């Protein structure tokens, strides 16, 4: 699956299309997004490699996510699937080895959501991979319970 993001100056976000709306001349970036299948809670217990992020790390991670087109695209995917809500619990983790260069955003909602008509998800996890000060790639996992 390919995602195309046009960017120059940030003016808005077309959440329904998953496309960053920009004013002025747009630069197109094409990236390979890795599809992932939904997993049951038993199959997808949080690996021990993830450590809860400190407050300082959380502030740094949010800055990287919000200032990177790929970070905004990941949040856009969460919004499309109904996982951006004040009722959803959001937890950030850093990798034991790579620290804040690889982070995990775990979002758990009291009401299952998602865009699938066959299955609702209780939890979504977004893994961000950072190069220097920019989110380079991300992957999404959808977790459900039977």
């Amino acid at each position: 699956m390919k995602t195309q993001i046009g960017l120059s100056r940030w003016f808005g976000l077309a959440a329904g299309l998953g496309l960053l709306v920009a004013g002025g001349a747009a630069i197109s970036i094409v990236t390979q997004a890795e599809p992932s299948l939904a997993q049951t809670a038993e199959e997808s217990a949080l690996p021990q490699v993830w450590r809860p992020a400190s407050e300082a790390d959380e502030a740094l991670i949010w800055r990287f996510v919000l200032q990177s087109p790929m970070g905004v695209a990941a949040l856009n995917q969460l919004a499309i699937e109904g996982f951006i809500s004040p009722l959803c619990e959001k937890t950030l983790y850093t990798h034991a080895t790579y620290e804040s260069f690889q982070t995990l955003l775990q979002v758990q909602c009291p009401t299952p959501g998602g865009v699938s008509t066959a299955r609702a998800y209780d939890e979504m996890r977004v893994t961000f991979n950072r190069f220097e000060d920019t989110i380079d790639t991300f992957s999404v996992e959808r977790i459900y319970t039977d």
Side-chain angles (χ1 to χ4, degrees):
M1 169 195 309
K2 290 193 176 187
T3 305
Q4 185 168 351
I5 301 171
L7 58 115
S8 62
R9 293 176 58 201
W10 301 62
F11 280 4
L13 188 62
L17 299 175
L19 180 67
L20 186 63
V21 177
I27 301 170
S28 294
I29 298 173
V30 177
T31 183
Q32 187 68 31
E34 205 173 295
S36 66
L37 300 174
Q39 301 174 0
T40 63
E42 296 83 34
E43 294 172 336
S44 61
L46 195 63
Q48 292 186 0
V49 71
W50 296 110
R51 307 285 184 253
S54 67
E55 283 187 39
D57 281 341
E58 281 190 21
L60 184 68
I61 293 166
W62 282 119
R63 184 175 65 88
F64 292 138
V65 168
L66 295 173
Q67 292 181 359
S68 300
M70 293 302 289
V72 172
L75 294 178
N76 191 20
Q77 185 64 41
L78 288 171
I80 289 169
E81 298 196 34
F83 280 80
I84 298 292
S85 166
L87 301 176
C88 296
E89 183 179 332
K90 298 158 198 69
T91 309
L92 284 169
Y93 297 90
T94 58
H95 194 276
T97 304
Y98 306 118
E99 298 174 351
S100 67
F101 284 95
Q102 186 172 52
T103 57
L104 175 74
L105 171 61
Q106 180 182 34
V107 182
Q108 296 175 312
C109 294
T111 306
V115 293
S116 171
T117 57
R119 164 104 37 216
Y121 311 111
D122 302 311
E123 174 184 341
M124 287 185 71
R125 297 177 186 167
V126 180
T127 304
F128 297 102
N129 296 299
R130 181 169 62 90
F131 177 73
E132 294 180 354
D133 289 347
T134 304
I135 302 295
D136 188 37
T137 62
F138 69 90
S139 63
V140 175
E141 293 178 86
R142 294 157 181 89
I143 312 298
Y144 64 89
T145 55
D146 281 328

